[in-house]
Amino acid sequence: MKVYFDTLGCPKNITDSEIAMGLLEQCGHSIVSSPEEADAIVVNTCGFIEDAKKESISEIFSMADYKEQGKKLIVSGCLVQRYAKELYNEIPEADGFLGVNDYEKLPDLLTSLEENGQRFLANDDAPRDLSENRARKFGEHPYTSYLKIAEGCNNNCTYCAIPSIRGPYRSRTEADILEEARALAKAGCKELILIAEDVTCYGIDLPGRPTLAALLRQLCRIDGIQWIRLLYCYEDKITDELIQTIAEEDKICNYLDIPLQHTADPVLKAMKRRSTSRSITETLKKLHDAIPDIHIRTTLIVGFPGETDDDFSVLMDFVEKEKFARLGVFTYSREEGTPAADMADQIPESVSKERQDALMMEQMAISLAHNRELVGSTVEVMVDEIDDDGFCIGRTRYDAPEIDNSVIFTPVRPHSPGDIVNVEILEAFDYDLEGREVLNEFAK
């Protein structure tokens, strides 16, 4: 069958889809780039928070329109893992449902669906084994690629449904990760983005307890890889060894995504976070002392049950003081099955939205100030796309794809996605920069 994947949600879902595509190709199916070309459409859903669930449901029904053309519709991913039976009963338009632990079954299920038309539900609660390097379909030009180093989570934050969806934390072996990284480099990858629910937990469940820092040093030895980026580092597990490794290894971007979620101690305790206001301040100071140009991205949650005006003031003061290079703010989402959903003192949505807006207004000014400091300087930029007018759009080493700032620049020679060029910054905006390419001996 010809299969089209429609992937929603986080980078972990992207890698799941690529693994499923690789498995399908190994079994004789083919992957196409549009639903119009497909015999079957797979919608890989997100079920993390309410907004993501709504988006997933909307996308399922949008793709269901292709049923009129005789195409099959499969729904997979986190939403299925959380609500498999409900979805199976309430969305008869879908021909099959597949949980996060069942992608290996997809080739046979599609073949069976094609032969007998029988709807299916595959939703195994047993977490899948990560001990072997499985098939993965790389993009045609995978200059930047996610590398999942672990699955699941043991943190059990009170607002989060991920442990019930993805299971306990399971690290991949170093050999498995390195094998995939080398394959990505051979395919043309220049930027490796390490992901997991918590990358700083890496190795806690493996014999010998290998560390993230040790893994990074091995990844830095792979020819072809030029940037290595870390997403989702928990503050309480950022060790001196990890900080030293980032400071010493040129390939590791001086960029850390640290989802702090809050900084007021009563809220952190209610969230069951292991960080405290003091530990956060001390870790951030260590990072800035050891790596002066470190750019820290964080995410915050406002409106958590019981969050007082004083708690929010602590958070606002902290953001004003720390001046994070990159920051996102979410309103609390009351997720069924989580401890926080049953907590007293649920915050009205209007109050949560006011607090979100206040933080983002403050961050907009901080971001603009950061960007203005770059005017007149020359920075490395990785090209992501070329627009219809011939301008290049890319990112610095301090920006992750699709979530952080962009650099729009005038090129002086033809470029392709993945090229790393030097750009003189001419103008700064709230979240973007403009510039022109500068040719010199370091240009690639």
Side-chain angles (χ1 to χ4, degrees):
M1 298 180 75
K2 296 178 181 177
V3 186
Y4 170 72
F5 275 76
D6 184 5
T7 303
L8 307 174
C10 68
K12 294 176 283 293
N13 262 16
I14 293 174
T15 60
D16 283 347
S17 287
E18 291 175 347
I19 288 168
M21 291 180 206
L23 290 165
L24 287 171
E25 286 192 335
Q26 281 188 348
C27 295
H29 298 281
S30 60
I31 306 303
V32 295
S33 58
S34 71
E36 289 79 12
E37 303 172 72
D39 301 312
I41 298 167
V42 179
V43 181
N44 190 359
T45 62
C46 179
F48 179 42
I49 59 175
E50 189 63 29
D51 286 348
K53 289 185 280 189
K54 290 177 179 178
E55 180 186 10
S56 293
I57 294 294
S58 176
E59 191 66 11
I60 291 167
F61 284 113
S62 177
M63 290 294 110
D65 290 343
Y66 288 98
K67 294 277 292 180
E68 297 178 2
Q69 302 174 23
K71 302 177 189 298
K72 303 297 184 182
L73 177 62
I74 315 301
V75 181
S76 71
C78 292
L79 193 69
V80 178
Q81 195 68 29
R82 283 190 82 175
Y83 306 106
K85 292 181 180 178
E86 295 93 328
L87 294 170
Y88 185 85
N89 292 328
E90 295 176 14
I91 307 182
E93 293 87 348
D95 298 288
F97 295 87
L98 198 75
V100 298
N101 300 310
D102 298 281
Y103 287 106
E104 287 83 356
K105 302 173 185 176
L106 184 56
D108 289 341
L109 289 170
L110 278 181
T111 298
S112 178
L113 180 63
E114 185 177 28
E115 292 174 351
N116 59 41
Q118 183 68 41
R119 290 180 84 212
F120 65 81
L121 172 59
N123 184 43
D124 192 344
D125 288 333
R128 68 188 184 205
D129 184 17
L130 299 182
S131 62
E132 295 182 2
N133 185 26
R134 293 157 296 154
R136 179 179 175 186
K137 179 178 174 61
F138 302 144
E140 193 171 335
H141 302 292
Y143 64 93
T144 180
S145 294
Y146 296 105
L147 181 59
K148 186 188 289 189
I149 65 172
E151 180 65 279
C153 188
N154 294 343
N155 291 318
N156 294 308
C157 301
T158 56
Y159 53 83
C160 185
I162 289 297
S164 65
I165 298 172
R166 294 278 178 172
Y169 198 89
R170 289 104 66 207
S171 303
R172 294 174 63 184
T173 65
E174 290 177 302
D176 192 31
I177 294 169
L178 293 169
E179 181 180 349
E180 183 171 350
R182 293 187 188 101
L184 282 165
K186 187 176 180 180
C189 178
K190 295 181 180 179
E191 177 186 32
L192 275 182
I193 305 176
L194 272 57
I195 57 170
E197 298 299 338
D198 176 0
V199 296
T200 42
C201 259
Y202 177 75
I204 60 167
D205 56 325
L206 295 178
R209 296 175 69 91
T211 64
L212 175 62
L215 174 64
L216 284 168
R217 290 196 185 273
Q218 293 184 76
L219 290 169
C220 287
R221 307 285 83 81
I222 296 176
D223 292 337
I225 302 300
Q226 298 184 45
W227 293 1
I228 298 175
R229 190 180 304 280
L230 298 176
L231 297 189
Y232 321 129
C233 302
Y234 276 54
E235 176 274 322
D236 61 293
K237 302 182 194 74
I238 296 175
T239 63
D240 291 346
E241 179 194 23
L242 178 59
I243 293 172
Q244 183 180 359
T245 300
I246 296 170
E248 292 177 353
E249 295 286 356
D250 291 338
K251 287 186 178 182
I252 303 175
C253 297
N254 291 344
Y255 168 106
L256 279 186
D257 185 310
I258 309 174
L260 296 174
Q261 312 304 16
H262 216 283
T263 56
D265 284 331
V267 179
L268 289 168
K269 184 177 180 180
M271 289 179 166
K272 202 179 175 184
R273 304 285 289 185
R274 295 182 178 88
S275 297
T276 64
S277 178
R278 179 176 179 178
S279 73
I280 290 169
T281 299
E282 290 175 350
T283 297
L284 294 180
K285 185 178 186 306
K286 278 186 180 181
L287 284 164
H288 285 292
D289 287 347
I291 314 164
D293 69 332
I294 188 77
H295 282 52
I296 295 171
R297 155 167 279 280
T298 194
T299 49
L300 303 172
I301 296 173
V302 293
F304 188 81
E307 181 190 53
T308 65
D309 289 340
D310 286 345
D311 293 330
F312 178 69
S313 293
V314 168
L315 184 60
M316 177 68 85
D317 290 346
F318 191 85
V319 169
E320 291 174 352
K321 176 185 175 183
E322 288 296 332
K323 301 190 184 305
F324 291 100
R326 314 284 184 256
L327 182 143
V329 182
F330 297 89
T331 57
Y332 165 72
S333 178
R334 190 175 188 177
E335 293 300 312
E336 58 186 344
T338 63
D342 298 324
M343 289 180 178
D345 299 324
Q346 298 284 328
I347 306 298
E349 186 177 346
S350 59
V351 174
S352 298
K353 189 66 171 64
E354 286 176 6
R355 292 173 178 176
Q356 179 189 41
D357 290 344
L359 273 173
M360 288 311 300
M361 285 296 293
E362 177 65 26
Q363 180 60 27
M364 187 181 296
I366 292 169
S367 179
L368 178 59
H370 277 302
N371 284 347
R372 282 176 172 167
E373 291 176 359
L374 292 173
V375 173
S377 67
T378 297
V379 297
E380 272 192 333
V381 173
M382 177 174 285
V383 177
D384 283 321
E385 60 180 295
I386 296 90
D387 69 15
D388 293 338
D389 296 320
F391 293 102
C392 290
I393 304 170
R395 299 169 285 114
T396 71
R397 294 172 65 97
Y398 311 108
D399 298 286
E402 299 184 2
I403 58 174
D404 289 323
N405 295 3
S406 294
V407 180
I408 303 166
F409 68 93
T410 305
V412 297
R413 58 198 171 122
H415 288 296
S416 301
D419 287 351
I420 299 176
V421 302
N422 290 283
V423 175
E424 180 186 5
I425 302 303
L426 303 176
E427 196 164 359
F429 302 95
D430 294 336
Y431 297 110
D432 295 313
L433 299 163
E434 286 188 3
R436 63 186 173 201
E437 182 180 4
V438 177
L439 290 180
N440 61 34
E441 61 181 308
F442 300 110
K444 299 179 179 66

